[in-house]
Amino acid sequence: MKSIVLCLSFLLLAGCAQQDHHRVGDLVVSVPWSRETPPTASVAAGFVTIQNKGGRDDQLLRVESATAKRVEIHEMRHDNGVMRMRQRVDGVPIPAGQTVVLGPGADHVMFIEPTRHAVAGETLAATLVFRDAGRLPVAFAVRGMAEQGQAAKSHH
């Protein structure tokens, strides 16, 4: 009985790992997520961690999704004491041996004019397009406010 429970535990953990971590080439993409949005929201933000385990730099060129009219990668930066956001038209560098976090209050994905609002427990299907590693389909898990912890306090 112990062996069966142990086997089932490993299978469950393996299933969770597959859901939260994706690999394409030397890149490991972890925990893509988005915030729940009100029905009238004109944007939804997406967050993800990308680790380059290889010896060569790569670059996230764009994000594609049918769940929004358009998708952009945005950067956040301080400008004379004011936080400003703008589109990163050249994508995001993913240096060799480094981890890049697209997160609240930092660079992030913007789903602009979504086809419907993001509901907790659902996903936003998207494809990350990298210069060298290629295309990687991912699902941004939509988190409710209670699941976001401190991230919920960061407004976009």
Side-chain angles (χ1 to χ4, degrees), residues 33-36 120-121 142-153:
W33 68 280
S34 182
R35 291 187 171 125
E36 185 172 35
V142 180
R143 296 180 182 174
M145 294 306 274
E147 297 175 85
Q148 296 174 39
Q150 290 296 337
K153 295 180 180 170

Side-chain angles (χ1 to χ4, degrees), residues 59-64 71 73 91-92 127-130 135:
Q59 185 172 2
L60 175 62
L61 299 175
R62 66 186 174 280
V63 179
E64 300 171 350
V71 183
I73 301 169
V92 178
T127 300
L128 306 180
V129 181
F130 297 97
R135 302 170 63 82

Side-chain angles (χ1 to χ4, degrees), residues 13-139:
L13 288 173
C16 290
Q18 288 174 351
Q19 191 175 43
D20 286 346
H21 304 283
H22 309 277
R23 189 173 189 123
V24 60
D26 290 327
L27 304 180
V28 177
V29 175
S30 304
V31 196
W33 68 280
S34 182
R35 291 187 171 125
E36 185 172 35
T37 61
T40 58
S42 61
V43 296
F47 313 108
V48 65
T49 299
I50 305 166
Q51 183 179 19
N52 186 342
K53 293 188 171 244
R56 292 183 36 175
D57 294 350
D58 205 333
Q59 185 172 2
L60 175 62
L61 299 175
R62 66 186 174 280
V63 179
E64 300 171 350
S65 178
T67 63
K69 188 171 184 179
R70 71 182 192 276
V71 183
E72 297 176 354
I73 301 169
H74 285 187
E75 74 174 335
M76 300 290 290
R77 63 183 167 126
H78 287 284
D79 184 13
N80 292 326
V82 176
M83 187 66 105
R84 302 221 186 256
M85 179 179 63
R86 70 177 183 149
Q87 182 180 5
R88 291 189 71 135
V89 292
D90 295 330
V92 178
I94 314 294
Q98 300 284 321
T99 298
V100 174
V101 177
L102 302 181
D107 291 0
H108 57 277
V109 176
M110 286 299 296
F111 297 90
I112 300 169
E113 295 182 48
T115 56
R116 60 185 176 77
H117 76 286
V119 176
E122 296 183 355
T123 60
L124 302 175
T127 300
L128 306 180
V129 181
F130 297 97
R131 182 189 64 219
D132 299 323
R135 302 170 63 82
L136 179 66
V138 296

